[in-house]
Amino acid sequence: MSVSSTSIASSDLRRKVWDGVIPLQIILAPDECRVLDVDPFYINATRVSYLPQYFSRIIAYFEPFLRDHAASLSPEWWLDFEGVPLRWNWPIGLLYDLLTGLDPTQGDGPEHDWHLPWTLILHHSQYPSDILLRLASDSALKEQWMNRVKEADFIRRGNANAVMSLSKTDSDEMWAGVGEHNFDKFWDIAKKILPPDPYTLRHIPIKIYLPSSNKMLQALVPPSISPRELHTVGTALHAHLPQLFPSRRTCLLARPVLHGVILNMAIPLAELLYECMYTDGYLHICITMIS
Amino acid sequence: MIQSSVPDGIPTEHAINFPFLTLAEFSEACERFLPRLHHSGITSRLLPSTEKDLFDGIEVTTVREHHAFTVITKAFVLLSPIYSLPVLYFSSTYTNLQTGESTPITLVEDVYRYVVASPSQISILKNPTIPAVSASGAISQCEHPLYHDLLCFYIHPCRTSDVMNTLNADPEKPGITLQSYLALWIGVVGPTVGIAIRE
């Protein structure tokens, strides 16, 4: 990735990130079904979107088979993967990479289980409100997303003025870009709140997710270590997780994964942000252990 | 979340970058604030940090007693790693005094109904003229930053810097010290969870 490619003009990589999908196989939980043998529902979910965005389509499919019809009118559905309730406020790509323990280097072996399509169980009853945020209103997802967008803006600039001063039209348009999965709708507005030069940012919005736990590290990483040295994936991980990343250049114990790809330790973080950020403005990076 | 920090120097009397606080300054402010809470009869304790000689914040327990119910709130005064400002996180349990049944409060509407005792505080929190505030008001649910498996609520810190700057702007008075920082800050967010300190 060269410095000259860093601009907010459209980039191939940004488009590829946007187009990434995880095929889902949704199975209705037996205790929600009126009948036996309901076929699963299949859908390609985009990595940068959120599970609740698919609920109306999923519930519409299962509606004829529901034991409790009133449930189809309620927004508070939930999904589990191997018994683990899925955090609907985390992007789907992040959930998949983290929970399947994705190790992209293992893909060539015939034994490797990619968990594709990703099989999830759909529930309505007994919402795990000790584990999952409430999804009781139609605006719950937008509110959570907006909180992250404002945080990311604050991290980038030291204030959230850019996001706050978006007109309501622009702000709605940006959210519509997420909701409709429309690249141009989203990026036309997102570009307005990103400074043209990523090296002028105060810090890079980044969250690092540790494997097999709910631990998430909120790290404040500036774009540069010094006027001559940029923060790379490797230097940032070494600074904030030295036990897992004793080397700044080589992955010895663990690997960073973003959008299903192992990150090269030499990539400058500022450029990675501008090419590969999620819609909330963050780099959500998950760590997988080297087996 | 795990606080990732760069070592700080020993804090002086004032925050170097007021209203923003370093970990060391916040820890110092917490130590100075705790006696004020105890003096006001508020159950509270410092949260020791994994960083030597520092504190992650303060845990406060408040009880709201109504004839039909009791609400117990555990509030956490923590430093936001994003905003470098104190943020109040809290989780509350509602107990029905007739049935004896206790349930955690997880809906924002219920926070306004049962936790926030004063109507004037509710209208402050829901003031739409402040664009920083989301439709539901200044309170959102979130994953607890220290105890990752817990859920809680927090009061959006977007207003905090404005309020602290306003409080600090009086030319008649010396700048806000670490000694008084949290006592002033709690005046803004404390009423939400029933924390009020005596003068």
Side-chain angles (χ1 to χ4, degrees), chain A:
Chain A
M1 219 179 279
S2 67
V3 175
S4 60
S5 72
T6 310
S7 69
I8 316 187
S10 65
S11 83
D12 288 338
L13 187 50
R14 201 175 287 142
R15 188 87 230 192
K16 284 203 174 83
V17 165
W18 188 265
D19 290 340
V21 295
I22 309 280
L24 304 181
Q25 173 180 253
I26 312 287
I27 296 175
L28 185 62
D31 60 344
E32 309 288 350
C33 296
R34 214 169 26 84
V35 299
L36 297 173
D37 277 338
V38 179
D39 286 338
F41 179 69
Y42 295 93
I43 191 162
N44 278 337
T46 55
R47 279 177 156 276
V48 298
S49 63
Y50 299 85
L51 290 168
Q53 293 175 244
Y54 299 92
F55 280 2
S56 57
R57 272 168 283 184
I58 295 171
I59 277 87
Y61 172 82
F62 286 116
E63 203 259 334
F65 313 110
L66 294 178
R67 178 173 292 181
D68 173 14
H69 253 277
S72 66
L73 301 169
S74 143
E76 212 161 45
W77 289 79
W78 58 284
L79 291 159
D80 86 71
F81 170 63
E82 295 184 347
V84 177
L86 298 182
R87 295 188 176 204
W88 55 262
N89 53 312
W90 291 10
I92 294 174
L94 169 66
L95 289 168
Y96 172 79
D97 291 343
L98 190 64
L99 292 175
T100 62
L102 175 75
D103 183 348
T105 63
Q106 299 298 308
D108 295 332
E111 303 288 308
H112 185 70
D113 183 1
W114 281 106
H115 295 283
L116 290 174
W118 197 24
T119 302
L120 308 177
I121 315 296
L122 179 70
H123 307 264
H124 186 264
S125 56
Q126 293 184 299
Y127 190 85
S129 55
D130 52 332
I131 300 172
L132 299 183
L133 300 181
R134 297 301 301 265
L135 192 56
S137 78
D138 290 331
S139 60
L141 175 60
K142 183 181 178 186
E143 184 189 325
Q144 289 293 328
W145 176 80
M146 220 33 229
N147 286 342
R148 304 289 89 75
V149 170
K150 287 181 208 163
E151 281 172 11
D153 199 33
F154 193 96
I155 292 170
R156 290 190 298 259
R157 294 174 194 263
N159 62 68
N161 295 342
V163 171
M164 297 307 191
S165 48
L166 280 178
S167 65
K168 185 165 191 322
T169 314
D170 277 354
S171 172
D172 288 346
E173 183 84 344
M174 196 161 98
W175 172 244
V178 178
E180 298 160 22
H181 197 63
N182 184 316
F183 182 90
D184 290 322
K185 266 194 194 179
F186 173 77
W187 274 105
D188 284 349
I189 312 301
K191 280 183 219 173
K192 291 188 189 182
I193 59 176
L194 289 175
D197 180 359
Y199 289 99
T200 60
L201 299 183
R202 281 181 129 208
H203 294 106
I204 312 282
I206 178 170
K207 287 189 200 265
I208 304 171
Y209 299 78
L210 300 181
S212 311
S213 73
N214 284 317
K215 286 210 173 93
M216 184 263 293
L217 173 66
Q218 179 83 49
L220 274 189
V221 185
S224 308
I225 297 172
S226 70
R228 291 190 178 283
E229 195 187 349
L230 308 175
H231 248 308
T232 61
V233 171
T235 58
L237 289 173
H238 174 73
H240 292 277
L241 287 169
Q243 274 131 350
L244 287 176
F245 293 93
S247 161
R248 292 172 183 81
R249 282 186 266 185
T250 318
C251 292
L252 298 168
L253 303 165
R255 294 193 190 96
V257 173
L258 178 67
H259 303 305
V261 168
I262 298 176
L263 292 174
N264 186 311
M265 296 280 262
I267 298 174
L269 269 185
E271 294 176 45
L272 183 65
L273 179 73
Y274 272 41
E275 305 281 346
C276 300
M277 57 177 244
Y278 277 87
T279 63
D280 58 6
Y282 271 99
L283 288 171
H284 294 284
I285 297 178
C286 76
I287 306 299
T288 57
M289 301 306 293
I290 294 178
S291 46

Side-chain angles (χ1 to χ4, degrees), chain B residues 8 26 28 31 35-36 41 44 46 53 56 58 62-63 75 92 96 98 100 105 124 138-139 154 160 179-180 193:
Chain B
D8 294 314
F26 175 71
E28 178 78 19
E31 283 188 88
R36 297 287 303 265
S44 44
L46 288 166
D53 296 333
D56 276 340
I58 300 173
T62 62
V63 180
S92 303
N96 182 318
Q98 255 200 335
I105 291 176
I124 289 170
I139 298 174
Y154 71 104
T160 302
Q179 172 72 35
S180 54
V193 294

Side-chain angles (χ1 to χ4, degrees), chain B residues 121-177:
Chain B
Q121 185 64 13
I122 292 175
S123 55
I124 289 170
L125 291 165
K126 287 190 173 185
N127 187 338
T129 65
I130 299 175
V133 171
S134 67
S136 71
I139 298 174
S140 285
Q141 206 188 12
C142 68
E143 287 131 356
H144 197 291
L146 281 186
Y147 311 123
H148 309 280
D149 295 326
L150 294 186
L151 301 178
C152 61
F153 290 92
Y154 71 104
I155 300 178
H156 290 241
C158 351
R159 297 178 204 208
T160 302
S161 77
D162 289 339
V163 172
M164 295 308 286
N165 277 326
T166 306
L167 290 172
N168 199 43
D170 189 342
E172 307 274 310
K173 297 193 176 151
I176 295 174
T177 61

Side-chain angles (χ1 to χ4, degrees), chain B residues 55-119:
Chain B
F55 297 100
D56 276 340
I58 300 173
E59 182 190 285
V60 179
T61 305
T62 62
V63 180
R64 184 184 169 206
E65 309 209 58
H66 184 272
H67 67 266
F69 60 82
T70 306
V71 176
I72 299 179
T73 298
K74 266 211 159 41
F76 298 83
V77 179
L78 301 174
L79 184 69
S80 165
I82 295 166
Y83 295 98
S84 299
L85 292 167
V87 175
L88 192 72
Y89 296 87
F90 61 95
S91 64
S92 303
T93 306
Y94 167 98
T95 303
N96 182 318
L97 290 176
Q98 255 200 335
T99 65
E101 210 187 319
S102 286
T103 34
I105 291 176
T106 56
L107 288 172
V108 167
E109 298 86 69
D110 288 341
V111 170
Y112 284 112
R113 193 174 299 140
Y114 300 116
V115 180
V116 187
S118 84

